[in-house]
Amino acid sequence: MPRNTLAALSLLSLIPMAQAADAPNAADAASPYSLTANVTLASQYRYRGLMQTDNKPAIQGGFDLTHASGFYLGNWNSSISWLNDSNSDVSAPVEMDFYGGYKGNLTDNVPVDLGVLQYYYPGDYPSGYTSPDTTELYAGIGYGPVMFKYSLALTNLFGFADSKYSQYFDLSGNFDTGVWGLVVNAHVGRQIVRNVSNGSYTDWKLGVTKDFGQGLSVSLAYLDTNADRAVYTNTRGRDMGRATGLLSLSKTF
């Protein structure tokens, strides 16, 4: 065999070895962290069934940093008016949420989610006003498309005095219809507010989400509660828990 042919074969034999040597380096270069961002324009902001923007549109968005192990940190923000709507001496137009926790799976189709969430409302408050800032621990477990989540307030709950250790029970499901990318969203929740007469209530939601791909989706939902109007009526005379429709456009990056 000619010497130049031998040399060529020897060179070719080294290529797989070089590729094998490069493979671990490529794997090492892949980061275990992932960062996503989201932004939403909604016809209004409702939280646990209660109006947060006095039936006016809201702009919302945040970031999520996730590790391959399942641990995560995040921030979410929204325009609000409910604090000023309840007391004209308050100026607090933004809700800022900071959270961290762990998501994993006990077994196939049994996800778990454990974490802590801090609701922060920067602004100006009159003397003696009970801070609306709230810290909650949460734990969730699911099966298939259904998730149950329990939240426990370690502080006063959203400005209610002496309401520490209030609880929220959340049962939600997202069901793929298999038609035109439509997903049915269903939810029922129970808010227990400690030491507040008639402050506890149930909320529920039924909606549908259309995924357009590339992180773009549109949602339409019907929401209602049985919240006591005597407790949950703002200074503008609006029942904060009355039934409503909600339309939102979201983009994830």
Side-chain angles (χ1 to χ4, degrees), residues 14-60:
L14 291 175
I15 292 177
M17 296 174 62
Q19 290 176 337
D22 288 343
N25 294 333
D28 291 342
S31 173
Y33 295 95
S34 61
L35 180 66
T36 60
N38 60 85
V39 62
T40 296
L41 179 61
S43 59
Q44 63 171 293
Y45 174 25
R46 289 280 179 124
Y47 187 65
R48 296 179 180 172
L50 300 181
M51 64 172 60
Q52 309 290 295
T53 53
D54 202 37
N55 286 336
K56 296 180 177 62
I59 182 69
Q60 305 167 333

Side-chain angles (χ1 to χ4, degrees), residues 142-163:
Y143 183 76
V146 178
M147 190 81 175
F148 173 76
K149 185 176 179 181
Y150 170 75
S151 299
L152 175 68
L154 302 181
T155 61
N156 285 328
L157 183 75
F158 304 126
F160 284 112
D162 195 26
S163 59

Side-chain angles (χ1 to χ4, degrees), residues 159-179:
F160 284 112
D162 195 26
S163 59
K164 188 177 180 181
Y165 301 131
S166 293
Q167 306 167 75
Y168 187 70
F169 303 87
D170 177 348
L171 181 63
S172 300
N174 298 295
F175 307 93
D176 191 347
T177 66
V179 178

Side-chain angles (χ1 to χ4, degrees), residues 117-240:
L117 170 57
Q118 175 67 47
Y119 303 86
Y120 174 54
Y121 301 92
D124 296 322
Y125 300 92
S127 177
Y129 190 88
T130 302
S131 173
D133 295 349
T134 301
T135 304
E136 286 187 336
L137 294 177
Y138 58 85
I141 186 168
Y143 183 76
V146 178
M147 190 81 175
F148 173 76
K149 185 176 179 181
Y150 170 75
S151 299
L152 175 68
L154 302 181
T155 61
N156 285 328
L157 183 75
F158 304 126
F160 284 112
D162 195 26
S163 59
K164 188 177 180 181
Y165 301 131
S166 293
Q167 306 167 75
Y168 187 70
F169 303 87
D170 177 348
L171 181 63
S172 300
N174 298 295
F175 307 93
D176 191 347
T177 66
V179 178
W180 198 50
L182 296 176
V183 176
V184 171
N185 319 118
H187 156 83
V188 62
R190 178 66 179 173
Q191 178 70 72
I192 306 296
V193 185
R194 292 188 73 242
N195 299 320
V196 176
S197 180
N198 298 322
S200 300
Y201 66 92
T202 300
D203 72 283
W204 54 93
K205 179 184 82 170
L206 184 63
V208 63
T209 298
K210 164 61 179 174
D211 185 356
F212 289 96
Q214 298 185 336
L216 183 65
S217 64
V218 174
S219 297
L220 179 64
Y222 171 83
L223 303 87
D224 199 1
T225 78
N226 66 354
D228 191 325
R229 185 165 184 169
V231 178
Y232 295 101
T233 294
N234 63 28
T235 57
R236 303 177 188 277
R238 293 193 173 94
D239 178 3
M240 298 176 68

